[in-house]
Amino acid sequence: MPRKRNAVNRNLPQGMYYNKKGQTFYLRQATGGDVNLGKEQSEAIQKYYVLVENTLNSSTSVADMIHRYMLEVSPYRAETTHKTNVGRAKKLLDAFGDFDIAELKTRDIQSYLYYRRNTPIDANRTVALLRSMYGAAVRWGVIEHNENPAQNLQFHPENVSDRLVLMSELNAFKEFCPDWMKTYIDLKVCTGLRQSDMLRLSSENWKDKVGLFVQTSKTQYKTCFRAGKEFSALVENILDKANERGGREPHGKCHFFPNQNGRPYTPDGFRTMWYKSMQKALKSGKLKQSFKERDIRAMAATNCANLEDARRLMGHSSATTTLRSYRKGYEDVMPNIKIDPKLL
């Protein structure tokens, strides 16, 4: 293992360092003087990769691979995915940043998984991110496919929650929600959309007498929720309430669920409002057990008539994910009553 860099520089790409006195990042050069990369780390790293022409080789550190992935790949994932990637990338830098990219072995990663056995889900997701990074390194030509140490790992088992929210619980909770959140919940039950996609909805998604057009941010799955009497009335009610809250922008676009500033709720802002309503409902005694906003997505999938309808509503390419994580309870199956003549 190479000699460790000091704490200030250990998570920076190879050859890049931070001058604490001048509060500036530099690229170290053998001749011609070091290159000033600026004072902002994100901009400095971008300049770094431009200067070194984004080249990586077998002696590159894992930290270099992580930084390049976070610059070139992660920002183009869904917003929430990128946000969680940032936190997990820091954990990977702390754990493996000092390794050369070809030096890290499968046993090292497996040991990390075992070390974090008390937080199995986050450990699995963090190592899955590392596996994605090594996959990118293969595509970049840095290593060969058979040199990827993040393959053939044994992840922690994950128990999928069997919590199924009932309409009686949802109605009890809605008594303590602001009006806009009540309509949010009604629309979520109808569509099963993820929170990030729900918060982005606006009048631009709605075509009167046609339907609600949505391209999901995570999978880019395109869905048109067809207009009907009840569904259209719900959407029109949402838009009316949004207009009252000042959710319309100057050029006419109206956000479905605007905050007091007329802008869509951020994920953090929404979580705060959800938590406040949930605490009120629990303290009242009318709601006995809390549930999460994403549980409504599973509720919507379970409410579908069959697995294929649920898969399409969830926007999954495969029904495996739908069945494993979103369809709760028992699947309805017609028993064999009549025997086919060929079996007689």
Side-chain angles (χ1 to χ4, degrees), residues 100-313:
D100 283 344
I101 196 169
E103 185 183 51
L104 187 62
K105 304 300 182 185
T106 301
R107 62 176 177 270
D108 300 316
I109 306 173
Q110 192 66 60
S111 295
Y112 175 77
L113 277 167
Y114 179 76
Y115 173 74
R116 294 199 54 202
R117 61 190 179 278
N118 292 330
T119 54
I121 295 178
D122 187 63
N124 286 350
R125 301 293 185 274
T126 302
V127 170
L129 176 60
L130 180 66
R131 183 168 60 183
S132 180
M133 291 173 173
Y134 265 98
V138 172
R139 295 192 296 274
W140 296 331
V142 179
I143 59 172
E144 297 299 324
H145 180 74
N146 60 2
E147 297 173 331
N148 184 347
Q151 301 181 100
N152 304 319
L153 294 166
Q154 183 174 351
F155 287 86
H156 297 290
E158 297 183 20
N159 297 320
V160 178
S161 172
D162 60 356
R163 175 80 162 101
L164 177 59
V165 180
L166 304 178
M167 280 304 302
S168 57
E169 295 178 287
L170 208 56
N171 290 332
F173 173 62
K174 285 167 63 177
E175 289 184 32
F176 302 90
C177 295
D179 288 343
W180 69 266
M181 188 176 285
K182 292 177 183 177
T183 56
Y184 174 98
I185 291 171
D186 291 340
L187 186 63
K188 178 106 178 178
V189 171
C190 291
T191 63
L193 289 170
R194 296 178 181 87
Q195 181 190 116
S196 57
D197 295 319
M198 289 284 292
L199 296 178
R200 270 195 295 269
L201 290 174
S202 73
S203 55
E204 293 182 348
N205 296 94
W206 176 244
K207 306 299 181 187
D208 189 31
K209 298 181 181 180
V210 181
L212 184 67
F213 291 81
V214 181
Q215 182 172 0
T216 60
S217 57
K218 185 173 183 178
T219 62
Q220 305 304 307
Y221 190 88
K222 295 181 179 180
T223 305
C224 174
F225 299 96
R226 289 297 178 186
K229 184 178 180 180
E230 293 182 359
F231 187 67
S232 296
L234 171 60
V235 174
E236 295 297 340
N237 184 37
I238 290 172
L239 288 171
D240 288 342
K241 290 183 181 298
N243 271 314
E244 293 173 4
R245 288 172 59 82
R248 185 171 293 279
E249 294 184 352
H251 59 278
K253 178 180 178 180
C254 182
H255 302 289
F256 273 28
F257 308 108
N259 57 23
Q260 293 180 346
N261 298 321
R263 301 294 301 163
Y265 274 93
T266 63
D268 289 340
F270 180 86
R271 278 192 292 270
T272 298
M273 297 297 293
W274 180 274
Y275 177 79
K276 289 180 179 179
S277 298
M278 183 61 69
Q279 291 306 302
K280 290 178 182 178
L282 292 171
K283 288 179 180 178
S284 74
K286 292 187 176 182
L287 182 65
K288 303 301 182 183
Q289 184 181 358
S290 67
F291 57 87
K292 299 177 181 178
E293 187 271 352
R294 65 172 175 265
D295 288 332
I296 303 176
R297 182 165 157 82
M299 182 183 179
T302 305
N303 188 55
C304 291
N306 55 64
L307 180 58
E308 176 58 18
D309 286 349
R311 181 198 68 79
R312 295 175 65 187
L313 190 74

Side-chain angles (χ1 to χ4, degrees), residues 11-13 16 25 38-46 67:
N11 291 334
L12 297 177
M16 181 177 169
F25 293 91
K39 297 181 180 295
E40 294 294 329
Q41 182 172 340
S42 59
E43 295 180 4
I45 291 176
Q46 290 181 16
H67 284 302

Side-chain angles (χ1 to χ4, degrees), residues 27 29 35-37 44-55:
L27 171 62
Q29 294 193 135
V35 179
N36 186 325
L37 299 175
I45 291 176
Q46 290 181 16
K47 291 179 182 178
Y48 167 88
Y49 280 114
V50 170
L51 290 170
V52 299
E53 297 179 346
N54 285 344
T55 56

Side-chain angles (χ1 to χ4, degrees), residues 15-84:
M16 181 177 169
Y17 69 94
Y18 180 67
N19 184 299
K20 192 172 182 180
K21 183 177 180 181
Q23 298 182 341
T24 304
F25 293 91
Y26 289 90
L27 171 62
R28 195 182 304 279
Q29 294 193 135
T31 59
D34 295 348
V35 179
N36 186 325
L37 299 175
K39 297 181 180 295
E40 294 294 329
Q41 182 172 340
S42 59
E43 295 180 4
I45 291 176
Q46 290 181 16
K47 291 179 182 178
Y48 167 88
Y49 280 114
V50 170
L51 290 170
V52 299
E53 297 179 346
N54 285 344
T55 56
L56 294 174
N57 52 59
S58 59
S59 63
T60 298
S61 70
V62 172
D64 288 334
M65 176 184 68
I66 293 172
H67 284 302
R68 181 174 178 181
Y69 183 93
M70 295 306 295
L71 282 171
E72 296 185 8
V73 180
S74 185
Y76 298 98
R77 305 296 191 201
E79 182 180 351
T80 52
T81 301
H82 176 58
K83 186 175 181 179
T84 55

